């Protein structure tokens, strides 16, 4: 058997149909997906994925975080496997492709190898990481974080959702907790394929994003304590307004991020008012500041400024201020050898491509700590993600999966 050439491609119809069949589990209200981690719909999605893996002849492993590992044996099982991974959980109002594209493209790589009768020396493992999104249980990328030794298993099990339910209890409830110790597996290499979740590739008319770096991130959760009072009868000068303090902090975050341009972002995507009544000033406001940069110094400066200035803003209004870091990873440089392999695969296949920095966090950011890792990206319409209107084309999906196939097969060492 000769090395796979540019004529070898995945089955685009099969990949596309699998994506949309899975989307029927946990449908959103506007065409997207709501399959949040450790829900009953997550369990049903896992069951379907497992059945597809078994149909492709893969053995299924399950660790104590509920992460699924579907293995295709190599001719030399003593060699460390090549891993392909992403996630099947979604945001509450998520799209059909975020995470799912990467997992099912990994399965499509296996199905294509089976179709072509290609064997590899190294085993290949397709991974569905638990709780990548962090929408229900913060922080994001929780299972891969435990795998990489960033978090402990006890820490992960103790994370609670908005209803006070713990990660560990919910994992047991849906029946997807395994016996395998987290992080016990050895990886030769890790590939992750994902939609860009940004507008650059589409704007530049490129089919493939060769991901060289990932932004670092801090999630800073603020709890502001004011005084509940009637919005109509409380004089302006006598208010202890936690909502006003929050608004001024948001404006300050915007100024901090703008002062570090280019290459820095900051904002707030989640907040909770209590008691959340139209005519009651909030007694408590909880919100999370999300700051990111591919440059460590910028990231450090932004965090320091925000944590220094927010208490001053609150103190001027008589509002209490507490902050907790609930998510973090440093900027990531992906493995140069694997990056070059992805770039070479795109060139061999004739796909337009460009180097790109990931603006979002991904499980590859954590696996990069324990094994050579890299990412591949495809465009998404208008850069929209974490939204039910998230959209990609079948051709975009297939191009990235083709590149994934060739890069993985070269790394797993085809058997002649």
């Amino acid at each position: 058997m000769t090395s796979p050439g540019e004529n070898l491609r995945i089955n685009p119809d099969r990949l596309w149909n699998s994506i949309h069949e899975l989307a029927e589990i946990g449908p959103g209200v506007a065409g997207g997906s709501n399959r949040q981690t450790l829900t009953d719909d997550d369990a049903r999605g896992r069951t379907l994925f497992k059945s597809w893996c078994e149909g492709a002849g893969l053995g299924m492993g399950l660790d104590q975080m509920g992460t699924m590992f579907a293995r295709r044996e190599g001719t030399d099982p003593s060699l460390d496997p090549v891993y392909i991974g992403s996630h099947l959980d979604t945001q509450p109002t998520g799209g059909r492709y975020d995470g799912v594209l990467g997992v099912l493209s990994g399965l499509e790589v296996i199905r294509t190898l089976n179709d072509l009768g290609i064997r590899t020396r190294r085993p290949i493992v397709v991974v569905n990481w638990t709780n990548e999104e962090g929408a229900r249980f913060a922080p994001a990328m929780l299972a891969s974080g435990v795998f990489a030794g960033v978090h402990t298993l006890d820490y992960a099990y103790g994370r609670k959702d908005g209803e006070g339910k713990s990660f560990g209890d919910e994992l047991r409830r849906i029946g997807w907790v395994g016996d395998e110790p987290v992080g016990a597996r050895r990886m030769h290499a890790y590939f992750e394929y994902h939609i860009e979740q940004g507008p650059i590739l589409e704007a530049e008319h490129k089919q493939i994003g060769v991901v060289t770096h990932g932004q670092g991130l801090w999630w800073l959760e603020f709890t502001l304590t004011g005084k509940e009072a009637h919005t109509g009868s409380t004089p302006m000068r006598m208010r202890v307004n936690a909502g006003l303090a929050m608004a001024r902090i948001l404006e300050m975050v915007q100024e901090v991020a703008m002062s570090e341009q280019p290459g820095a972002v900051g904002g707030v995507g989640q907040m909770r008012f209590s008691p959340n009544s139209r005519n009651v000033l909030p007694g408590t406001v909880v919100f999370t500041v999300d700051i990111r940069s591919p440059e460590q110094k910028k990231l450090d400066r932004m965090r320091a400024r925000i944590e220094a200035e927010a208490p001053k803003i609150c103190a001027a209004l008589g509002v209490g201020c507490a902050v907790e870091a609930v998510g973090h990873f440093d900027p990531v440089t992906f493995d140069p050898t694997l990056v070059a392999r992805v770039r070479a695969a795109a060139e061999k296949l004739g796909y337009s491509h460009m180097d790109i920095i990931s603006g979002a966090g991904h499980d590859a950011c954590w696996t990069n700590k324990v094994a050579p890792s890299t990412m591949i990206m495809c465009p998404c319409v208008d850069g929209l993600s974490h939204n039910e209107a998230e959209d990609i084309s079948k051709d975009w999906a297939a191009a990235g999966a083709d590149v994934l196939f060739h890069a993985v097969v070269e790394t797993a060492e085809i058997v002649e």
Side-chain angles (χ1 to χ4, degrees), residues 95-366:
R96 293 182 167 216
Y97 310 100
D98 177 358
V100 176
L101 174 65
V103 177
L104 297 187
S105 292
L107 175 60
E108 179 57 33
V109 167
I110 301 299
R111 287 169 162 173
T112 301
L113 289 171
N114 291 346
D115 291 345
L116 298 173
I118 294 174
R119 300 299 302 172
T120 57
R121 289 186 64 228
R122 294 182 180 277
I124 300 174
V125 178
V126 182
V127 188
N128 169 34
W129 297 103
T130 301
N131 192 49
E132 191 275 349
E133 290 291 2
R136 186 179 177 199
F137 298 98
M141 299 125 62
L142 187 60
S144 56
V146 177
F147 188 94
V150 178
H151 310 303
T152 66
L153 186 64
D154 286 344
Y155 169 84
Y157 275 15
R159 306 310 293 166
K160 294 185 178 180
D161 67 7
E163 297 179 353
K165 297 177 181 178
S166 75
F167 179 97
D169 287 345
E170 287 294 274
L171 182 60
R172 286 184 283 268
R173 182 188 67 80
I174 68 167
W176 281 90
V177 57
D179 296 327
E180 180 182 314
V182 183
R185 291 171 169 263
R186 292 177 58 85
M187 291 183 176
H188 175 68
Y190 176 84
F191 290 86
E192 183 164 350
Y193 175 34
H194 210 281
I195 64 172
E196 181 194 349
Q197 300 183 284
I200 298 172
L201 293 175
E202 185 184 34
E204 297 293 333
H205 305 290
K206 302 296 185 183
Q207 296 163 288
I208 302 295
V210 180
V211 186
T212 60
H213 297 79
Q215 290 195 117
L217 167 151
W218 280 105
W219 281 355
L220 306 175
E221 184 178 87
F222 282 83
T223 301
L224 307 186
T225 306
K227 184 177 182 180
E228 294 176 22
H230 197 293
T231 57
S233 58
T234 307
M236 296 297 288
R237 293 181 180 276
M238 298 178 67
R239 301 182 178 205
V240 184
N241 192 343
L244 177 59
M246 178 208 69
R248 290 182 178 174
I249 290 173
L250 265 59
E251 182 65 28
M252 178 266 291
V253 169
Q254 174 77 7
E255 293 173 359
V256 167
M258 290 302 296
S259 73
E260 295 288 355
Q261 296 303 301
V265 295
V268 173
Q270 180 189 61
M271 62 183 67
R272 300 190 301 275
F273 275 41
S274 177
N276 200 32
S277 176
R278 287 183 179 86
N279 61 345
V280 181
L281 296 172
T284 304
V285 178
V286 180
F287 60 97
T288 302
V289 172
D290 183 326
I291 52 174
R292 308 185 189 211
S293 176
E295 299 179 42
Q296 186 71 56
K297 291 182 178 179
K298 288 187 176 183
L299 191 64
D300 291 344
R301 280 198 302 267
M302 285 196 293
R303 182 189 180 189
R305 281 189 59 190
I306 290 168
E307 290 189 339
E309 293 182 26
K312 298 176 184 177
I313 291 171
C314 292
L317 297 170
V319 172
C321 178
V323 59
E324 177 187 2
V326 295
H328 170 66
F329 50 87
D330 288 334
V332 173
T333 299
F334 288 117
D335 182 76
T337 298
L338 298 185
V339 169
R341 195 162 289 162
V342 169
R343 189 182 295 114
E347 291 173 356
K348 177 172 68 174
L349 294 166
Y351 290 132
S352 58
H353 61 88
M354 63 180 290
D355 289 358
I356 195 169
I357 294 173
S358 174
H362 300 283
D363 293 304
C365 296
W366 286 148

Side-chain angles (χ1 to χ4, degrees), residues 325-408:
V326 295
H328 170 66
F329 50 87
D330 288 334
V332 173
T333 299
F334 288 117
D335 182 76
T337 298
L338 298 185
V339 169
R341 195 162 289 162
V342 169
R343 189 182 295 114
E347 291 173 356
K348 177 172 68 174
L349 294 166
Y351 290 132
S352 58
H353 61 88
M354 63 180 290
D355 289 358
I356 195 169
I357 294 173
S358 174
H362 300 283
D363 293 304
C365 296
W366 286 148
T367 64
N368 195 59
K369 287 182 169 290
V370 295
S373 301
T374 196
M375 295 189 68
I376 302 164
M377 287 184 171
C378 77
C380 56
V381 175
D382 294 331
L384 195 63
S385 184
H386 288 187
N387 186 307
E388 292 201 54
E390 173 186 280
D391 196 18
I392 66 174
S393 72
K394 182 167 73 172
D395 289 344
W396 287 347
D402 285 338
V403 171
L404 178 70
F405 174 85
H406 282 262
V408 166

